[in-house]
Amino acid sequence: MGERDEGTCEARVVHGARLAALQPLIAGEERAQVEAERFRALGDPTRLRILCALGLTELCVCDLSGLLGITQTAASQHLKILRTFGMVRYRKQGRMAFYRLADLSLTGLLARLREAPGREEAAGERQSG
Amino acid sequence: MGERDEGTCEARVVHGARLAALQPLIAGEERAQVEAERFRALGDPTRLRILCALGLTELCVCDLSGLLGITQTAASQHLKILRTFGMVRYRKQGRMAFYRLADLSLTGLLARLREAPGREEAAGERQSG
DNA sequence: GCTATATATGTGCATCTGCGCATGAATCGT
DNA sequence: ACGATTCATGCGCAGATGCACATATATAGC
């Protein structure tokens, strides 16, 4: 688990000292873990489509599952994950739960998701023609 | 696989017609799949740390593995994934491969990664404090 | 209170993922 | 040419993930 061949390569670009100076500038494992989990939550097509739908309108679980063509169970399980990361919120009215997009910073992403495919070059690196 | 309980819930918020009108506004499965894979590439702590490092300076695989405390194999496999999505690029000089950050749209994200933990509220929703 | 409905959760399974090990491919030094 | 070194890749395994099925919880209607 901690066995890396750190002593093998001697032709380092950044030798010893400079390499050590870089270390504190790089995100620690825990910090990276937390951030990665957030991306992982977005790294599922069904969850992206759920967010896409909830970005348009508030929906109950049943409507959502019907709209996306997934089972209620699947919808509920995905919503639980999205709740964990504060990406969606819900209000309970009777026995139904109305979900809505909570993380407004995702709005731009979701708008891009609705565009025609073939434009995912670098998410910001447009070569202007 | 296609068995959803679409006829169970009758108390839809958006009844029939409106639900159908929503459908074309939601990203299709293929489009969502492509986009999700991109997030998935970022959904690994090691890959985030690799990008974090390459955002600071160009590095060979060996330095990178030493810097992050991972094996050369792991580094190489992650770099392959990041290459697939055009997030990193490399130039070959002799037997070494110098990798650098290619997707500049990730710069902001990586800068945020270097900040102290506890600020991952909404990735863009700063309360100007 | 009982039944039906809407949502949430526990369990099991097929699949995916990240890693280590061994190996292949390319390059440098002698 | 030969061995050493740097990077890439095939393979197998442990752990994670998404889903279906069954079930639990909560609410509405009677």
Side-chain angles (χ1 to χ4, degrees):
Chain A
M1 271 225 181
E3 299 278 343
R4 64 282 176 86
D5 30 53
E6 48 170 274
T8 309
C9 171
E10 304 175 18
R12 322 198 103 104
V13 197
V14 263
H15 305 73
R18 255 205 90 189
L19 215 164
L22 237 60
Q23 209 130 21
L25 293 175
I26 297 173
E29 297 180 44
E30 285 188 32
R31 175 86 171 105
Q33 176 72 38
V34 170
E35 205 70 21
E37 279 173 13
R38 215 174 165 75
F39 281 109
R40 211 168 247 263
L42 296 173
D44 178 89
T46 302
R47 280 196 290 274
L48 278 184
R49 303 216 306 147
I50 287 176
L51 291 172
C52 196
L54 296 182
L56 290 171
T57 181
E58 186 181 59
L59 286 170
C60 66
V61 179
C62 186
D63 274 339
L64 192 59
S65 56
L67 187 61
L68 301 184
I70 60 178
T71 63
Q72 175 267 316
T73 300
S76 204
Q77 285 169 340
H78 282 304
L79 287 168
K80 183 194 180 117
I81 294 176
L82 295 175
R83 256 182 312 169
T84 305
F85 294 96
M87 294 170 179
V88 301
R89 232 176 268 288
Y90 72 104
R91 68 184 170 87
K92 267 222 155 148
Q93 182 177 312
R95 51 192 164 177
M96 329 233 294
F98 295 101
Y99 280 81
R100 60 188 175 79
L101 187 67
D103 190 335
L104 282 312
S105 69
L106 296 175
T107 308
L109 155 72
L110 300 174
R112 212 167 55 80
L113 247 179
R114 296 187 193 99
E115 292 175 7
R119 293 183 55 84
E120 347 70 38
E121 38 238 83
E125 275 233 272
R126 41 208 56 196
Q127 43 226 11
S128 67
Chain B
M1 271 212 181
E3 300 278 343
R4 64 279 177 90
D5 30 55
E6 49 170 272
T8 310
C9 171
E10 305 175 19
R12 322 198 104 104
V13 197
V14 263
H15 304 72
R18 253 206 93 191
L19 216 164
L22 236 60
Q23 210 129 21
L25 293 175
I26 297 174
E29 296 181 44
E30 284 188 32
R31 174 86 171 105
Q33 177 70 37
V34 169
E35 205 70 20
E37 279 174 12
R38 217 176 164 72
F39 281 110
R40 210 166 245 262
L42 295 174
D44 178 89
T46 302
R47 281 197 289 274
L48 278 184
R49 302 218 304 149
I50 286 175
L51 291 172
C52 196
L54 296 182
L56 289 172
T57 181
E58 186 181 58
L59 285 170
C60 65
V61 179
C62 186
D63 274 338
L64 192 59
S65 57
L67 187 62
L68 301 183
I70 60 179
T71 63
Q72 175 265 315
T73 300
S76 204
Q77 286 169 339
H78 283 304
L79 286 169
K80 182 192 182 121
I81 295 175
L82 296 175
R83 253 182 316 171
T84 304
F85 293 96
M87 294 171 179
V88 301
R89 231 176 268 288
Y90 72 104
R91 67 183 171 90
K92 266 219 154 152
Q93 180 176 315
R95 51 188 166 180
M96 330 236 293
F98 294 101
Y99 280 82
R100 61 188 173 78
L101 187 68
D103 190 335
L104 282 312
S105 70
L106 296 175
T107 309
L109 154 73
L110 299 174
R112 211 166 57 79
L113 248 179
R114 297 188 193 98
E115 291 174 8
R119 291 185 57 86
E120 350 69 40
E121 37 238 84
E125 280 231 274
R126 43 206 54 197
Q127 43 228 9
S128 68

